[in-house]
Amino acid sequence: MPSNAEPLNLRHPFPPEEYAARRARVYDRLGAGAKALLQGAGPVRGFQAFRQTNDFHYLCGVELPQCCLLLDADSRAATLFLPPRDPHASSEGDVLGAEDAAALVAETGLDAVHDSSALADHLREAARLYTPFASAEGSQGSRDVLLHADKKVAADPWDGRPSREEWLRGLLAQRLPGLELADLSPVLDELRSVKSPREVALCRRAGELSAQAVLESMKATRPGLREYHLGAIADFVFAAGGARGQGYRPIIPSGANIWYSHYFRNDAELREGDLILMDCAPDLCNYTSDIGRMWPVSGSYSPQQRELYGFMVRYH
């Protein structure tokens, strides 16, 4: 089962100096007189756990809802804006809000923390404001899937809502007329594509957990189980390894389902003579992996299955 490695600190996967170095690279690309504004994830709309968006987490690591991060290229300062403490969330444990500015500055290494109501005053000083135009990646989200969903909503005659990013740009244009807006997404995409040693270590850990989940599932496979039983094994391996759920919905098709590359129902019975495909990965501090493997339910490849698997290995 999972290795004996120490569980990761999900709230602090990187030290403050790493986030500061990332922000410094953003300042270098913005130019004189420019600021950058990032909007974090909104409040959860149910009982699921909060998870910060990837770009926001990349630049400060703050895991709180309804935050904004303002970066000033001239002063090279980062300011966090967040609402006051939510009294309804007090039953969930320690709740941080704008009243905890000193503690948040000390914990995160940011330069200042203010109430969200003060953001507009700080934005008026900007000559040019960068903000991400691309949809923010959250739990089990990727850029292409989010873009596809945004297009479907926009084309729906009974919906048509803009994305959260479009809505923010509309508010900025309305409240700060004349402000020049520029797209921050290309800058962040370029920076995030090059991983630091700590990021590489997280990616490797995510890959190790994925491999452990597949190996344990192989050992447990037998006719009569259902596809979701193997998903439950992966859930345990990921949680025991310090992850918070799946990086994407697990793909565990068997038999005829195996032809659907993004099959997700995972409710069919495993049958003698069938192959099973397993494609799953953990969400490990906003980093994930992608490992897919195929094996026979019976535990032994038939000649035809062996030939088919050879085709897939050569294709890969």
Side-chain angles (χ1 to χ4, degrees):
M1 294 305 283
S3 68
N4 294 324
E6 286 295 319
L8 289 168
N9 186 339
L10 298 181
R11 287 190 62 187
H12 301 286
F14 304 104
E17 56 266 24
E18 175 142 347
Y19 293 113
R22 296 171 184 176
R23 295 192 296 270
R25 289 191 285 272
V26 174
Y27 300 142
D28 293 341
R29 284 162 174 77
L30 294 184
K35 296 180 186 289
L37 177 67
L38 288 93
Q39 187 179 46
V44 296
R45 301 182 64 86
F47 290 104
Q48 64 268 38
F50 176 79
R51 181 199 185 275
Q52 189 57 272
T53 56
N54 290 352
D55 280 346
F56 197 92
H57 186 272
Y58 177 78
L59 290 177
C60 66
V62 173
E63 286 279 341
L64 295 170
Q66 296 182 282
C67 291
C68 286
L69 180 68
L70 185 62
L71 307 181
D72 188 320
D74 287 344
S75 65
R76 300 180 77 84
T79 304
L80 180 71
F81 297 85
L82 75 163
R85 293 190 204 116
D86 180 3
H88 298 288
S90 59
S91 62
E92 299 174 0
D94 291 337
V95 179
L96 295 175
E99 304 92 331
D100 306 291
L104 282 165
V105 167
E107 181 177 312
T108 64
L110 295 169
D111 298 286
V113 174
H114 296 297
D115 190 288
S116 299
S117 60
L119 176 57
D121 292 335
H122 287 75
L123 291 176
R124 290 190 182 94
E125 306 167 2
R128 184 171 66 260
L129 183 68
Y130 285 81
T131 189
F133 287 12
S135 293
E137 302 158 309
S139 178
Q140 300 193 12
S142 63
R143 179 73 56 78
D144 58 331
V145 173
L146 294 169
L147 179 61
H148 181 65
D150 288 342
K151 289 180 177 178
K152 291 179 69 174
V153 170
D156 186 343
W158 293 100
D159 195 336
R161 288 170 296 171
S163 69
R164 196 159 181 258
E165 290 70 26
E166 289 177 285
W167 182 257
L168 176 61
R169 295 200 300 276
L171 289 177
L172 290 168
Q174 174 189 336
R175 297 175 183 179
L176 299 162
L179 178 64
E180 179 188 348
L181 292 177
D183 188 4
L184 185 64
S185 293
V187 173
L188 296 178
D189 290 349
E190 177 190 351
L191 294 178
R192 286 179 52 197
S193 68
V194 180
K195 305 301 184 190
S196 71
R198 291 187 183 93
E199 288 181 290
V200 171
L202 269 181
C203 292
R204 286 176 173 161
R205 179 82 177 275
E208 290 169 358
L209 290 175
S210 298
Q212 289 171 13
V214 169
L215 287 173
E216 295 300 330
S217 297
M218 285 179 176
K219 296 174 186 177
T221 298
R222 65 177 185 276
L225 293 182
R226 292 193 174 270
E227 294 159 346
Y228 58 72
H229 286 119
L230 304 189
I233 292 172
D235 286 338
F236 173 78
V237 170
F238 297 159
R244 48 184 170 187
Q246 302 266 1
Y248 50 88
R249 64 189 187 193
I251 301 166
I252 316 174
S254 62
N257 296 328
I258 212 164
W259 296 105
Y260 301 105
S261 59
H262 284 171
Y263 171 88
F264 66 92
R265 293 174 180 84
N266 301 338
D267 58 359
E269 183 179 344
L270 307 187
R271 299 183 183 278
E272 187 82 27
D274 283 345
L275 288 169
I276 186 164
L277 167 67
M278 189 167 188
D279 185 345
C280 62
D283 182 344
L284 191 68
C285 303
N286 291 44
Y287 292 77
T288 191
S289 176
D290 192 341
I291 292 176
R293 290 294 182 267
M294 186 185 296
W295 64 89
V297 172
S298 64
S300 179
Y301 288 92
S302 69
Q304 185 181 25
Q305 289 172 340
R306 187 177 297 276
E307 183 179 17
L308 174 61
Y309 190 73
F311 291 152
M312 295 305 296
V313 170
R314 286 195 291 276
Y315 167 77
H316 180 73

